[in-house]
Amino acid sequence: MSTYFDKKKLIDENKDLYISSYDKSLTPDALSKIVEQKRIYKKAEESGDIKTMKEANDKANSIRMNNGDYDGGRDGSEYNTSSKKYEIRNFSSYESPYQKQIDNITKELQNKKGFSYNYEDDPAFKAYYALYQKLGDDAYERALYENAVRTGGMVSTSAISAATGAKNHYNSMISAKIPELFRDAYSRYKDEYERLFDTLEQLSELDEKNYSRYRDEIEDFESDREYYYKKQKDGLDRIFDAYKTDSNLEYNMQRDMSELDYKKERDRIDDIRQDKKIDVQKEKNELDAIINLAKAIYGKTPVSSSVISNLYSLIK
């Protein structure tokens, strides 16, 4: 594994290449691969090989993306993170395209009165009434006419009774129509209610599907943002870990070098002390030799300093 010192050496040896601060923050191994592609790019640029230039830049951007979650653009000088395109998206609160229709139908249902029926206000009843009245009147006139033909123009009580009976028959038919008209009116009322409810249900389903798509888009966005945020964080963590490792290595090496320097200085001092110790011992030995010599010459000690100096000059 490359170290901080390898990266520093790599940067120093390639000062002719432009290396952005973003690239310099990558791990030494990743930076080494980018520098390799930059060399290929530069050589291709000198020969006008645009295809190779693009391939080298794409490979360098791939290295950046895998190690730092960014790309350097067309020439490696930019800093484009993959998460930026997600960060600029802005989701406003949900607005239903069907809400106005839903509100109108809901209001219509709320304001709709309960079912009631008055046949006198029913246009259908009025139409039937007019028809049966005419048929009844026709039956009445026809019954009187037929009776007058049989009796030579005389209208009897029985003829009037028969004519009235014919008219009442049609009147009873009008009354018999009222229950049928009631059922028809209730059916129309029910159908209208069901139509409104069906329409409301369909609009609600469409709105629910539309809202579901809206929520899916938000969840996809949040999922993607979380993914790219984690990916970017992992890349930054790798860079930080590499930097921390390199910094620790540099610190340890500096510490080791400091300790080595300290040891050398300590050894030098020890050597000086040892030398001094040897010198002291040598002086002591010389002094002992002088004393022994003085004893041999004069038969006694101590002797004067001048005698010692003279004897000392003899042994030196």
Side-chain angles (χ1 to χ4, degrees), residues 152-183:
M154 298 293 296
V155 179
S156 63
T157 303
S158 60
I160 294 174
S161 176
T164 302
K167 183 175 182 177
N168 288 338
H169 171 69
Y170 284 100
N171 289 337
S172 65
M173 290 180 66
I174 293 175
S175 299
K177 272 290 180 182
I178 293 177
E180 180 183 341
L181 294 174
F182 176 90
R183 288 191 296 271

Side-chain angles (χ1 to χ4, degrees), residues 13-32:
E13 291 176 348
N14 292 276
K15 289 184 177 180
D16 60 314
L17 297 176
Y18 171 75
I19 302 177
S20 69
S21 58
Y22 314 114
D23 290 347
K24 290 178 181 179
S25 67
L26 296 175
T27 63
D29 290 333
L31 179 58
S32 176

Side-chain angles (χ1 to χ4, degrees), residues 221-238:
F221 162 70
E222 291 175 346
S223 177
D224 289 342
R225 182 172 59 182
E226 180 66 22
Y227 168 77
Y228 283 100
Y229 169 77
K230 186 178 183 302
K231 184 177 178 182
Q232 187 175 30
K233 183 177 181 299
D234 290 345
L236 293 174
D237 287 344
R238 286 196 301 272

Side-chain angles (χ1 to χ4, degrees), residues 259-281:
E259 290 179 355
L260 180 61
D261 291 340
Y262 171 76
K263 187 176 184 303
K264 287 180 179 179
E265 180 63 20
R266 187 183 62 189
D267 290 345
R268 188 182 68 82
I269 293 173
D270 288 343
D271 290 342
I272 293 173
R273 287 176 178 173
Q274 186 65 26
D275 291 341
K276 287 184 177 181
K277 184 177 180 182
I278 292 173
D279 291 342
V280 170
Q281 185 63 40

Side-chain angles (χ1 to χ4, degrees), residues 141-152:
E141 294 295 334
R142 188 170 52 255
L144 290 178
Y145 174 76
E146 291 175 351
N147 182 73
V149 170
R150 288 194 302 271
T151 61

